Amino acid sequence: MAPQTPRLVVPIDVKKRPWEQRLPLHNRWHPHIPPVADVTEGEIFRVEMVDWTGGRIGDNNSAADVKTVDLTVTHYLSGPLRVLDAKGVAAKPGDLLAVEICNLGPLPGDEWGFTATFDRENGGGFLTDHFPSATKAIWYFEGIYAYSPHIPGVRFPGLTHPGIVGTAPSPELLSIWNEREKKLAEDGAGSLTLCEVLHQRPLASLPTAKNCLLGLIEEGTPEWERIANEAARTIPGRENGGNCDIKNLSRGSKVYLPVFVDGANLSTGDMHFSQGDGEVSFCGAIEMSGFLELKCEILRGGMREYLTPMGPTQLHVNPIFEIGPMEPRFSEWLVFEGISVDEAGRQHYLDATVAYKRAVLNAIDYLSKFGYSKEQVYLLLSCCPCEGRISGIVDSPNAVATLAIPIAIFDQDIRPKSGKVPAGPRIVKRTPDVLKCTYDGNLPITPNPGAEKKST
C-alpha cells in the first residue's frame, strides 16, 4: 500500500499575523511552552512556517521596513511538537531525536523571498562597519531557481533548508544559557579584542518580554510574565540545535538533536530558499515562508551513546547533522582567500573570523569590478550557494579562510584575464541597484586604505 499523504500538523495562513494562526507560534525557547500537537515516530508530517519576521518585510520598493524592523520579534517558530514512539511513550531527556527532512519548499502562492542588511544602529551584521545602511533585495522563484530584479545578471538554483530546527531546553540548560550570555553582555565589547575589528551588534540578545510570543500561553497571565522574562532568544544556535543556519540541510538530510524535556518539544522555522556559508549579511539568506515534511525517530539513551559533553555538565553537547544527497552541481569556482590581518594591517593570532572577513571583503571588491555595486555583491554572497572554509587553523600566526563562488551563476565570465578588466559590452552596470536607506547614525565606518590609495 502506498504511504499516506503527509499529515499537516501546523498549518499557516500567510495573510494572518503570527499570533492569529490557528495553532499559535512562538519566538522564544523555554521548557514550559506547551506543545501544540503530537507526532509519532515513523509518520511523515508536514509543518508550515511564516518567514522569520512574520510578514514584517514586504515585497515592495523600499528598504524602510528592514531599517525599522524590531529584532525582538525573531524568530517565529512552528511548534513545539511532542514526539511519541509507536506505543505512545514520549521522548525522554537523554534520548536523541533523529529528524529526517523528507521534503520542503516555499508555501504555494507565496513564492518569493528577501535578503537584507540591518542598519548598524539596529542589529548590524558581519560587515556592518563597511556597510552601515539598511538594504534589501527581493528574489522571485522559478522552480528551483531564484532571480532578483535588484541584482541583475545572476540566477542560481536554491538549496532550500530550514535555518532553525531545535528541541526545548531543560530549566537547567536554560539557566546555563542565560547566565553565560548575561556575563558576556555585562563584560562588554571592551573585554573582547575581536570587537575592535568586527563590529557586530549587540554582543548577546538577552531575554525580554517585548514582542514575546509563547504559543498556547496566554499573554497577561502571571505564567506568561514569568516565562517571557526568562525565555531565551532564538538568535544564536546552542546545545539544542536552534538557529544553526546550515545551508546543506535540505532534502534527505537528518538532524540528530539532544532531548532535554519530555516529548522533546521540537520546533522549526526561519525557512531559506538559498544561503551562502556564513550568511554574512546577517539577514542574509533568501528568507521566505515555507513548509517541511519530516519524519522522526527516537534513539533511546542516544545522548550518552553518541554525544560527548564539551563543558562542565552533561548538558554541554551539540547536535549531529547528516547532509542529504540533493545539492546543486557546480564544476567551476572562483576562490578568494583571507588571512587574519585586519583592514588596518594589524596581525591577529590564528583568528578565523578576521580571516573570513578578509575573504568576503576581497570577493566583494573583486566582483564590483564587473558592474555590480558593493552592496549588490554583499547581499549576493550572503544568499548564493557559495562555500566558506577554514582552510588553515594551525600555521601561526595566520588563520586562512576561503570563500568559493560558483562561476556559473553569473551571465558573464568573472575570471581574471590577461590585461585589465575588459570594458565595453562585457561589463554592464547592474542596475537597478539594491533597495537602500540612508545611515543616520554616528558610529565610525571602517575605511580601506589600500583601495583609497589605489583609486587616487
Side-chain angles (χ1 to χ4, degrees), residues 57-66 112 114 134-140 148-150 432-437:
I57 307 301
D59 179 6
N60 53 38
N61 292 315
S62 171
D65 48 8
V66 175
W112 72 280
F114 63 91
T135 65
K136 182 173 76 174
I138 301 297
W139 297 86
Y140 299 112
S148 172
H150 302 116
D433 203 345
V434 298
L435 304 166
K436 185 176 180 180
C437 294

Side-chain angles (χ1 to χ4, degrees), residues 109-140:
D110 205 40
E111 292 95 349
W112 72 280
F114 63 91
T115 306
T117 60
F118 297 123
D119 188 278
R120 192 171 176 195
E121 306 288 332
N122 183 31
F126 189 53
L127 302 182
T128 192
D129 53 324
H130 288 262
F131 299 92
S133 300
T135 65
K136 182 173 76 174
I138 301 297
W139 297 86
Y140 299 112

Side-chain angles (χ1 to χ4, degrees), residues 360-394:
V360 176
L361 287 170
N362 288 339
I364 290 172
D365 188 72
Y366 178 89
L367 290 173
S368 68
K369 301 176 187 297
F370 290 84
Y372 295 95
S373 73
K374 291 187 177 182
E375 288 82 3
Q376 286 175 318
V377 182
Y378 185 26
L379 292 186
L380 177 63
L381 295 182
S382 197
C383 67
C384 77
C386 56
E387 301 281 350
R389 296 286 187 273
I390 298 176
S391 299
I393 201 70
V394 295

